[in-house]
Amino acid sequence: MATPTRLVIDCDPGIDDAVSLALAIGSPEIDLRAVTTVAGNVPVELTTNNALRILRAFGREDVPVARGAARALVRVPRAHSPVHGSNGLGGVDLPPSVNPPRAEHAVYFLASLLREAQTRSVTIAAIGPLTNIALFVALHPELIDRIDRLVVMGGAVGQGNITPVAEFNIWADPEAAHRVLTGSGLDICLIGLDVTQKATIDERGLAALRAGSDRGGLLAEMIAGYADRGPDGWPLHDVVAVAAIIDPTLIRTRPALIEVDTGFGIGRGQTVCSFTRSPAAGDGDAPHATTRTQIAVDLDVERFREMILARVAAGA
């Protein structure tokens, strides 16, 4: 078996974040090294508390949690997302963790972790607003080459879910997204709504989770409280990012250049994607272009669902 991927999950739990953490914990391909939190679906105090409680519920209180940014870089959004319920977990009240979060800010904790790592040996799944990642890029450019890959759930080529053109994670901090997606130099895979809206679980899937284990039942209860439900069930947006790290063949990607609208008009938070050929050597000087960015354009939905049902309900 290949060496497990050393993974940091930067998140804002959030129901689909909870399923993402459960998937990482239940997958032998993943070595979950840390969880960092950011304001997004709910305020950062609650995202941090939720992350600690989820790790306890799934038997991984050994994983350190570091609290990150409490607000966006420039303009604080008018509200947090209501679709995850008042506590961010669909109203499910998990037992509190006995562990506090780390004393240092998530950005400094991530820097410490990367200093100890070998070059390009840590993958980051960024499944909330990109504020922490943008701060890290600005404060620690010398450590960027320690990150093997950044897999982001965010953006949309077509329809948005918070405005007609913007996806929530990008809209919540467009300036951070601009810094990360258009000039960081990171090797990025962006997985947007065009793909994640296909990643649904329906009532039969929830029944299978409940039948699988007590842990699966907890997740099913959370998902049932998720207001973001469509005709095919509940989309597990963030989970696709972790699933694609476990098995990259689940998604199909294309190279692209990305612009993020940071204006204050109706287009704020829109990701404008220009599909390109793989850039040749020396083509990296194009303004506002990250030449190593890949955008997901398709998902093997059935294999994704099989992975979720097989792994997230594992254990007691």
Side-chain angles (χ1 to χ4, degrees):
M1 182 176 177
T3 302
T5 298
R6 296 178 178 179
L7 181 65
V8 174
I9 298 181
D10 186 69
C11 57
D12 59 337
I15 294 165
D16 50 346
D17 305 74
V19 182
S20 300
L21 289 167
L23 178 59
I25 289 167
S27 297
E29 299 89 347
I30 296 297
D31 175 9
L32 184 59
R33 306 306 295 266
V35 173
T36 54
T37 61
V38 64
N41 290 316
V42 288
V44 73
E45 296 82 4
L46 198 46
T47 65
T48 306
N49 185 44
N50 285 348
L52 290 164
R53 289 175 180 239
I54 293 161
L55 290 170
R56 176 183 179 179
F58 281 81
R60 288 300 309 272
E61 284 191 287
D62 60 300
V63 176
V65 174
R67 171 178 160 172
R71 53 155 292 164
L73 293 181
V74 174
R75 186 182 188 186
V76 179
R78 62 180 180 269
H80 295 282
S81 173
V83 300
H84 296 265
S86 60
N87 72 344
L89 298 178
V92 176
D93 187 17
L94 296 176
S97 172
V98 298
N99 296 332
R102 297 293 293 254
E104 65 266 54
H105 190 281
V107 173
Y108 298 114
F109 175 70
L110 179 59
S112 297
L113 187 152
L114 289 170
R115 285 193 190 98
E116 297 172 359
Q118 299 176 359
T119 300
R120 296 182 66 82
S121 63
V122 175
T123 295
I124 298 176
I127 57 177
L130 288 167
T131 316
N132 287 338
I133 309 303
L135 290 169
F136 173 82
V137 167
L139 292 170
H140 297 286
E142 78 282 2
L143 295 175
I144 287 175
D145 65 355
R146 304 292 178 95
I147 299 171
D148 181 42
R149 192 163 57 123
L150 176 68
V151 181
V152 177
M153 190 277 124
V157 176
Q159 181 77 25
N161 65 351
I162 189 69
T163 76
V165 296
E167 178 274 330
F168 176 80
N169 285 343
I170 305 299
W171 171 87
D173 196 343
E175 286 77 16
H178 174 80
R179 178 178 288 173
V180 173
L181 298 177
T182 69
S184 67
L186 288 164
D187 191 342
I188 297 171
C189 176
L190 182 67
I191 305 175
L193 292 178
D194 312 274
V195 167
T196 66
Q197 286 175 333
K198 302 175 184 178
T200 56
I201 187 169
D202 59 13
E203 292 283 3
R204 287 184 298 176
L206 295 194
L209 286 179
R210 293 187 183 100
S213 69
D214 291 342
R215 293 175 178 177
L218 278 177
L219 292 172
E221 188 178 353
M222 291 181 203
I223 295 167
Y226 191 18
D228 186 14
R229 184 179 184 180
D232 296 325
W234 295 268
L236 301 178
H237 301 288
D238 294 340
V239 188
V240 181
V242 174
I245 292 168
I246 294 166
D247 181 0
T249 68
L250 285 175
I251 61 172
R252 183 168 62 87
T253 65
R254 292 179 61 189
L257 304 180
I258 301 172
E259 293 278 356
V260 180
D261 188 333
T262 57
F264 295 140
I266 193 171
R268 182 169 173 80
Q270 181 179 14
T271 46
V272 181
C273 306
S274 303
F275 291 105
T276 68
R277 293 177 298 174
S278 296
D283 285 350
D285 295 330
H288 311 305
T290 298
T291 58
R292 290 187 291 177
T293 299
Q294 298 281 326
I295 294 182
V297 295
D298 201 6
L299 170 71
D300 189 326
V301 176
E302 291 308 314
R303 286 205 296 130
F304 170 80
R305 290 171 178 157
E306 289 169 3
M307 176 186 285
I308 301 306
L309 295 178
R311 299 186 181 207
V312 304

